[in-house]
Amino acid sequence: MADYYETLGVDSSATEEEIKRAYKKLARKFHPDLNPGDTDAEAQFKEIGAAYEVLSDPERRSRFDRFGTDQPQGADFGAGFGDIFEAFFGGNAGFGGGGRSGPPRGEDLEAQVDLDLEDVVFGGEREVSIRTAVRCEPCDGSGAAVGTTPDTCDECGGAGQVRRVRQSVLGQMVTATACPSCGGLGKTIASPCGLCEGQGRTIEQRTYSVEVPAGVDDGSTLRLTGRGAAGPRGGSNGDLYVHVRVRPHPTFRRDGDDLVHELHVPFTQATLGAHIEYETLDGPEDLVVPRGTESGTTFRMRGRGVPHVRGRGRGDLRVNVVVEVPDELDEEQEELLRRLADLRGEAIAEPDQSLFSRIKSAFT
């Protein structure tokens, strides 16, 4: 029986309101609609619901606090007390259940894939290479030498567990634990495979293809089911978790599903207007800069951002304008600007205070 308080992340003395708040917070986080295709989140959501169902009912919560289960006590004695006995004695309480037997599952592994922003926007396949345990070919994962087979364990009779009778204040109890002779596998090997030395697996370098979904974010983790390490002696494979790292882009930065770029525009183009051939990740676009564009103006290109990973369509590309004012002018350029200022009736610094005059005087 799961610890419902631990499942909801609250203390056993939590109030009804505290339990309700904890449930709502976790339910929102692991709701299947927000985690489509994520079986782990779905299982977590069900566990949270089961915990809240018991702890929100005063009678069922009282039973759980007293007996470690919310099931009524009496006729179904074994179902109600099994987990209490397991907590005291280890293994299974012996009411029709049993501990794990057979070859264990292989280990879960982790790898990292480095992506460019283009990979994020358009998706595709990338390869990851990892050193992992794979099924031994000569013995086909059995661990036994070619021409031989594993033997049934004499101590557990192939069950992978041994049962022991214990006396307690509640009477005679039966517990089941992993067989010490075969380690819970149910089989022993008299003639181990020469390559894997009876493990049923060897260590090799393997390369796997990873499907990168368009819109994946930096720091995300992709799960490749069954691509982890092979289990010993024929056990099933673990999973491979691929962590995504996105390299910085020289032009764009990501903001949610939008892309953002700071575009520097000469003051002449900002003043008089211009058509700029602007390079997006999808190709060149005609960016129109209207007359009188000021710094801080944002142009938005719809659908040129990052795809929505859990929906259709893409974000936008936001182009933030920074108007550049020249800090170096030759004599002719300065004269033209002075004439412009004079025509507009704008007061400006005297020639000897200008940047050009200060530079010129430094060499005279």
Side-chain angles (χ1 to χ4, degrees), residues 67-340:
F67 305 116
T69 176
D70 66 304
Q71 298 299 317
Q73 306 304 305
D76 192 6
F77 181 80
F81 282 82
D83 291 296
I84 298 177
F85 296 151
E86 181 174 359
F88 277 101
F89 303 118
N92 188 272
F95 295 103
R100 176 191 59 79
S101 61
R105 177 178 179 271
E107 299 84 0
D108 291 337
L109 301 177
E110 294 180 292
Q112 179 176 290
V113 61
D114 294 324
L115 304 177
D116 293 321
L117 186 58
E118 289 82 356
D119 301 322
V120 171
V121 172
F122 302 112
E125 290 189 354
R126 289 293 179 270
E127 292 185 341
V128 294
S129 185
I130 192 167
R131 192 166 175 80
T132 183
V134 299
R135 179 167 294 194
C136 177
E137 291 187 4
C139 69
D140 194 27
S142 70
V146 177
T148 68
T149 58
D151 300 317
T152 300
C153 176
D154 292 332
E155 184 168 351
C156 67
Q161 56 185 239
V162 292
R163 296 177 179 273
R164 293 184 173 85
V165 178
R166 296 175 182 268
Q167 292 296 135
S168 76
V169 292
L170 299 175
Q172 190 179 74
M173 301 299 157
V174 180
T175 62
T177 58
C179 175
S181 296
C182 65
L185 300 176
K187 300 285 185 178
T188 58
I189 297 177
S191 301
C193 170
L195 180 62
C196 67
E197 298 180 345
Q199 287 296 307
R201 58 182 186 170
T202 57
I203 305 299
E204 295 183 10
Q205 193 79 15
R206 286 291 174 93
T207 299
Y208 297 114
S209 179
V210 180
E211 185 69 30
V212 178
V216 68
D217 205 351
D218 182 68
S220 299
T221 298
L222 307 176
R223 178 183 178 185
L224 278 64
T225 304
R227 293 298 178 91
R233 308 266 284 276
S236 62
N237 284 46
D239 298 332
L240 174 59
Y241 292 88
V242 181
H243 304 296
V244 174
R245 188 179 69 177
V246 181
R247 303 183 186 95
H249 193 273
T251 303
F252 306 107
R253 66 176 178 84
R254 181 172 181 173
D255 181 18
D257 286 341
D258 286 353
L259 294 179
V260 181
H261 176 218
E262 189 175 87
L263 178 64
H264 291 253
V265 176
F267 83 101
T268 50
Q269 290 183 328
T271 302
L272 302 175
H275 283 257
I276 299 175
E277 187 178 272
Y278 184 82
E279 195 68 35
T280 72
L281 295 181
D282 296 87
E285 298 272 357
D286 181 28
L287 177 62
V288 178
V289 179
R291 293 170 63 94
T293 296
E294 298 179 350
S295 277
T297 301
T298 297
F299 300 124
R300 185 179 292 269
M301 295 185 178
R302 302 287 182 183
R304 289 293 182 263
V306 178
H308 305 309
V309 72
R310 289 192 175 92
R312 297 180 179 180
R314 292 168 58 178
D316 300 331
L317 169 57
R318 305 199 311 263
V319 182
N320 298 330
V321 173
V322 176
V323 177
E324 287 189 328
V325 178
D327 56 2
E328 291 186 9
L329 297 170
D330 60 27
E331 190 170 2
E332 182 180 5
Q333 291 170 340
E334 181 171 342
E335 179 60 30
L336 288 172
L337 286 179
R338 289 187 174 279
R339 288 174 56 191
L340 175 62

